[in-house]
Amino acid sequence: MINHLWQSTVFAAAAGLLTLVFRKNRAQVRYWLWLSASLKFLAPLSLLIGLGGHWTAPAAKMAMPTVSMAIEQVTEPFPDTVAFTPPASHRRDWMPVAMLAVWACGVAAIATLRFRGWLRIRAAVRASAPMDIPAPVEIRSAPGLLEPGVVGLFRSVLLVPEGIAGRLTPRQLEAVLAHELCHIRRQDNLTAAIHMAVEALFWFHPVVWWIGARLVEERERACDEAVLSAGGEPHIYAEAILNVCKLYVESPLACVSGVTGADLKKRIEAIMTNRMGVRLNFAKKIALGAVGISVVAMPLFVGVMKLRAQATPKFEVVSIRQCTGGDSGGRGKGGGRNGGGGGSMLSPDRLTLGCQPVRSFIRMAYGEFADGHFNAMRRVPIEGGPAWIDSDRFQITAKAEGTPGQNVMRGPMLAAVLGERFQLKVRHDIREVPVYALTVAKNGFKPQPYQEGSCVAFEFGKLPEPPGPGQKPPVFCALRRLYAPVQGAPVKWDVLGASLDELATALGIDLDRIVINKTDIAGRFDFHMEFSPDEATAGINSMRGPDGPVVTAGSAADPPGGVSIFTSIQQQLGLKLESSKGPREFLVIDRVERPAEN
């Protein structure tokens, strides 16, 4: 929000400088410049930048470190990332709530004042009676001391004080009516209402109120110039405005365009000297048009260039081979788990994926490495596709341009290979499914806050420093550790340095449905549990401990050898899981074909 405010402020300053350039021209030009400054507060640059980003292929929308920090700050008016500092406790930070409450009170106060003014205008309209005066719009006479003004945003009504025809000469009344009809032609009430909304939303920003005063000033001068250009006599028109000022009061709403607004002394001087701004010449029209086009085109250009700078690198060479019965299963020729030997796994420019089914490649590209960053707990169910994507196995080896790293090669770059060579087409589908809601139990939240240094961030493809003599191997943050000390013993389940959202994701891996965090607890913590698997945690059977399979899921209500995961969460973490409904993402395969080998 801070970025959006300073961008809008700079835009308003630029508009103000342009009004100085066009100070000798018609007021209508300056009015539209100030109106554009007002509209900028409602239009963050990210909207245009996002539109520009849609011109770039989806495969290019993957963040790369080549994008400069300056571009990121300018192009993200509403940043959603902050530096992580482990909090000392999980207490809620009330400062944003207080700031939001103050802003809401300000909006409510402005809206209340506008509503009271609108009630006065509505009462005047209801008490008015139609007048027999020929005009393009309905003219009504209202009792009271409100000055003549245009009421309504789309179906305008010209409201004049009762008895005004007896207080102004016919030619003065004609000049006043000409002024008000000009407001109707210009749709001044509509644009004023838009700026009133800007004032209500950004009431704390003084530039917004400055713009509002300039809009009223320039719109009145624009109508003065229109009346004089149509042949109105300056002294009669000036006398009409002065008489209205002496006899009536100004409208309480800016969106009810009257005749006496702005700096009256300057207006009378300009009218009496018949001083009208000159029309824009061809050169100034071209210059103003170029400025307007650049204002729209530059954010679009930044969006396109930003995503081009973020474009996913390409592979120079890609080799795909279908594995035979003599190949070494998931390890492939390169050996090593996850389809690559130790050397190839660490290589920043070479990808080696051993013999694996296509569904595993899809899970890797659209799951664990979907955004170019490794997340072992990101699991997206994959649906559809022919049977051979599970039965047939393939080996992929590739050499990249530059050194994008394993995270990028196994994510967006692998997705591009699947699309080109396997003709893979997938779509994301969000469905309402049974879930577990993670909430705080009655016995209170128990985990200890994360202690700096108790775990290290996991980075795929980069081995941590080996432990020294007598030291334990490093423990990775936000990754679940699941093991059983001995065969048949309760499972020990740990996640260190994790947020509640990450805890929910980790629990969803082992349970029979995903978990959604509903706790509103901020911060990072260390989570420890012991439980015995049951039918709800049957997925644990696929994990292997140091002594073989961890445990066989039982079907009894109370699993043998310990408590269930539900009881453990409540007793040991002070949380609970409740059955609920919630959204879940599915990846649906619409098309896939066997690749041609090379």
Side-chain angles (χ1 to χ4, degrees), residues 8 31 61 68 82 129 142 209 241 292 350 372 376 415 461 479-480 580:
S8 299
Y31 178 85
K61 299 181 181 180
S68 68
V82 296
W209 300 98
I241 294 177
R350 294 182 182 274
L479 287 180
R480 93 193 197 291
S580 181

Side-chain angles (χ1 to χ4, degrees), residues 321-324 327-331 354-358 360-361 388-395 597:
R321 181 180 65 86
Q322 184 169 354
C323 301
T324 61
D327 290 318
S328 54
R331 295 183 178 269
C355 296
Q356 299 182 51
V358 175
S360 296
F361 296 144
W388 65 264
I389 68 171
D390 295 302
S391 60
D392 295 359
R393 296 174 180 269
F394 297 85
Q395 183 182 51
E597 293 190 5

Side-chain angles (χ1 to χ4, degrees), residues 39-252:
L39 295 176
K40 172 62 186 71
F41 280 88
L42 299 178
L45 287 181
S46 58
L47 296 179
L48 291 176
I49 292 171
L51 180 61
H54 285 299
W55 293 349
T56 306
K61 299 181 181 180
M62 194 283 306
M64 291 289 291
T66 55
V67 181
S68 68
M69 184 60 67
I71 294 263
E72 288 293 332
Q73 291 178 347
V74 171
T75 58
E76 297 293 339
F78 302 97
D80 56 359
T81 58
V82 296
F84 166 63
T85 302
S89 68
H90 59 272
R91 295 180 180 177
R92 180 188 291 273
D93 183 7
W94 290 102
M95 182 59 69
V97 178
M99 294 176 64
L100 180 62
V102 171
W103 172 81
C105 289
V107 173
I110 299 297
T112 300
L113 293 175
R114 304 298 194 201
F115 181 71
R116 290 177 60 184
W118 176 79
L119 290 178
R120 288 182 58 189
I121 298 300
R122 187 182 68 166
V125 172
R126 289 184 173 181
S128 65
M131 295 183 65
D132 188 16
I133 297 179
V137 297
E138 182 182 7
I139 301 178
R140 300 182 68 88
S141 172
L145 297 178
L146 284 178
E147 69 170 342
V150 178
V151 180
L153 301 181
F154 302 103
R155 298 182 61 183
S156 300
V157 174
L158 179 52
L159 204 63
V160 298
E162 192 175 53
I164 191 175
R167 298 182 177 184
L168 299 179
T169 67
R171 296 180 66 182
Q172 290 175 352
L173 179 59
E174 181 181 352
V176 169
L177 296 181
H179 180 98
E180 298 305 325
L181 292 177
C182 176
H183 283 306
I184 294 176
R185 290 193 301 269
R186 288 167 40 86
Q187 294 289 316
D188 283 337
N189 281 10
L190 179 60
T191 54
I194 294 173
H195 184 72
M196 286 169 61
V198 175
E199 289 177 338
L201 293 174
F202 299 91
W203 56 266
F204 52 87
H205 201 319
V207 171
V208 167
W209 300 98
W210 171 262
I211 293 173
R214 303 287 73 74
L215 284 171
V216 172
E217 176 182 341
E218 298 298 347
R219 84 180 185 191
E220 297 304 325
R221 293 185 64 180
C223 286
D224 292 343
E225 291 175 348
V227 172
L228 295 177
S229 297
E233 297 185 25
H235 70 281
I236 293 177
Y237 183 42
E239 289 176 354
I241 294 177
L242 290 175
N243 286 337
V244 170
C245 289
K246 289 187 293 183
L247 298 171
Y248 305 104
V249 296
E250 189 176 358
S251 167

